């Protein structure tokens, strides 16, 4: 059995996530303390006792989800399960930063600061109300690309997240994305759902945010990860620090090639995926990508106990 550790992206956040881990494992609590110190605020208090609306703000959700993933990783390590248990790491969008931190390529403090910057930059790149995203259900990537091209009409409209064979997300100018949702239904999509997001992520409209991240990443120490990263924009393994830096910038405007990333890991021999952190969205996608693959959630103290017991 070959295992990959995968790390969730935005949307998985919930109030209270990671609290039981922090109470059960001093090493998990230390992650939240380190993130609080790096940001100069009590983000952990917001995560555990705050309100959903504030936690969902991009600038909060991104470092919060990373902290929860790293707390779960530290809990595993406390039970004797190290990053070397995985053949690869990968993450969905911001989860790529969690994966790199887990693999020792970027410090937790630097990752927290980068994600705060990334969240702020992505939020401010496009005025609220001018961009949108929609999940197209029941059409494959090529069909959704054709829909996006037809819907664009001179505006930005792109396939942003290729999540699984049944779900592709489009992103861009609000009117264009709304057109894409209607065209997709005309072309046989089961559903087209406008997403409750505050900005059009992973499309050309995010170029100002990519410029900010290029500057921020230039000043951060990145080392080779302990295990290879399957990068979002390449859907293949990368270990070179300079290449990782470059791909993290491209990721802001580029598509999240999650379906292909999972297929790439499966082709390299991975048979089981551990979803490290909040939620189980990635596990659901993985099942739809390849029914022969298995997945396990590692987001609570009970999950850690179950995995280390068996």
């Amino acid at each position: 059995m070959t295992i990959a550790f995968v790390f969730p992206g935005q949307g998985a956040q919930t109030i209270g996530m990671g609290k039981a881990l922090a109470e059960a494992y001093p090493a998990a609590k230390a992650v939240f303390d380190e993130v609080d110190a790096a940001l100069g605020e009590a983000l952990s208090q917001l995560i555990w006792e705050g309100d959903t609306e504030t936690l969902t703000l991009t600038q909060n959700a991104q470092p919060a989800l990373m902290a929860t993933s790293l707390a779960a990783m530290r809990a595993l390590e406390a039970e004797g399960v190290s990053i070397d248990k995985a053949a690869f790491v990968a993450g969905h969008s911001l989860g790529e930063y969690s994966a790199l931190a887990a693999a020792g390529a970027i410090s937790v403090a630097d990752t927290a600061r980068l994600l705060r910057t990334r969240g702020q930059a992505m939020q401010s790149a496009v005025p609220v109300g001018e961009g949108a995203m929609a999940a197209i259900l029941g059409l494959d990537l090529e069909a959704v690309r054709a829909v996006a091209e037809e819907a664009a009409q001179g505006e930005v409209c792109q396939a942003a997240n290729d999540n699984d064979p049944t779900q592709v997300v489009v992103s861009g100018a609000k009117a264009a994305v709304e057109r894409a949702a209607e065209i997709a239904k005309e072309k046989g999509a089961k559903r087209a759902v406008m997403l409750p997001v505050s900005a059009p992520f992973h499309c050309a409209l995010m170029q100002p945010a990519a410029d900010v991240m290029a500057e921020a990443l230039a000043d951060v120490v990145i080392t080779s990860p302990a295990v290879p990263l399957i990068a979002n924009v390449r859907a293949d393994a990368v270990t070179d620090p300079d290449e990782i830096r470059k791909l993290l910038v491209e990721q802001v405007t580029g598509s999240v090639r999650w379906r292909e990333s999972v297929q790439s890991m499966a082709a390299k021999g991975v048979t089981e995926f551990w979803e490290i952190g909040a939620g189980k969205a990635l596990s659901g996608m993985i099942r739809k990508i390849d029914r022969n693959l298995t997945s396990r959630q590692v987001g609570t103290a009970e999950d850690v106990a179950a995995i280390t017991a068996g």
Side-chain angles (χ1 to χ4, degrees):
M1 180 179 66
T2 301
I3 296 168
F5 290 175
V6 295
F7 298 81
Q10 207 161 330
Q13 67 275 357
T14 56
I15 295 295
M17 62 183 183
K19 187 176 184 182
L21 281 171
E23 291 170 347
Y25 295 94
K29 172 69 161 57
V31 171
F32 288 104
D33 291 343
E34 189 173 356
V35 170
D36 286 353
L39 298 179
E41 65 182 70
L43 183 67
S44 59
Q45 189 173 344
L46 169 62
I47 298 169
W48 297 336
E49 300 168 5
D51 64 278
T52 300
E53 190 175 341
T54 306
L55 179 61
T56 300
L57 292 173
T58 302
Q59 66 191 53
N60 293 327
Q62 296 198 17
L65 284 161
M66 182 278 296
T68 303
S69 286
L70 267 289
M73 193 68 232
R74 296 291 180 263
L76 281 174
E77 290 166 355
E79 297 290 357
V81 179
S82 71
I83 192 72
D84 298 336
K85 176 87 171 175
F88 301 96
V89 293
H92 193 283
S93 191
L94 85 89
E96 191 156 273
Y97 284 80
S98 305
L100 287 164
I106 310 176
S107 74
V108 171
D110 280 342
T111 306
R113 287 187 287 263
L114 284 169
L115 286 173
R116 169 55 57 82
T117 299
R118 183 177 183 267
Q120 291 170 334
M122 291 171 85
Q123 183 62 66
S124 61
V126 179
V128 174
E130 291 189 11
M133 300 180 78
I136 309 300
L137 308 179
L139 295 181
D140 64 16
L141 177 62
E142 290 310 312
V144 173
R145 279 179 174 159
V147 165
E149 188 175 344
E150 183 179 337
Q153 296 179 21
E155 296 182 296
V156 171
C157 189
Q158 295 172 234
N161 299 352
D162 179 17
N163 287 332
D164 65 46
T166 69
Q167 184 192 123
V168 181
V169 175
V170 294
S171 181
K174 186 170 185 285
V177 171
E178 288 171 343
R179 286 193 295 269
E182 292 306 312
I183 293 168
K185 285 185 277 191
E186 291 167 9
K187 295 195 180 291
K190 291 179 182 175
R191 291 173 68 203
V193 183
M194 299 299 292
L195 299 180
V197 294
S198 52
F201 305 133
H202 298 292
C203 75
L205 294 176
M206 286 287 112
Q207 187 56 49
D211 295 340
V212 170
M213 290 313 296
E215 192 172 324
L217 284 157
D219 296 331
V220 170
V221 174
I222 300 178
T223 59
S224 295
V227 298
L229 171 78
I230 303 296
N232 279 191
V233 297
R234 183 175 291 173
D236 205 355
V238 59
T239 56
D240 178 70
D242 290 336
E243 192 67 13
I244 288 168
R245 198 185 311 271
K246 174 174 165 283
L247 293 174
L248 287 174
V249 175
E250 290 180 15
Q251 187 224 58
V252 179
T253 55
S255 297
V256 177
R257 296 167 61 185
W258 187 251
R259 176 183 58 84
E260 292 173 273
S261 293
V262 171
Q263 290 172 335
S264 174
M265 287 182 272
K268 298 177 197 305
V270 172
T271 54
E272 184 168 330
F273 292 79
W274 291 12
E275 185 168 1
I276 313 290
K280 52 186 179 182
L282 299 184
S283 297
M285 293 176 196
I286 288 163
R287 279 194 297 276
K288 289 175 182 173
I289 293 166
D290 188 337
R291 291 284 178 185
N292 295 316
L293 302 174
T294 60
S295 57
R296 304 181 71 167
Q297 284 80 51
V298 188
T300 66
E302 291 78 12
D303 292 339
V304 173
I307 275 190
T308 54

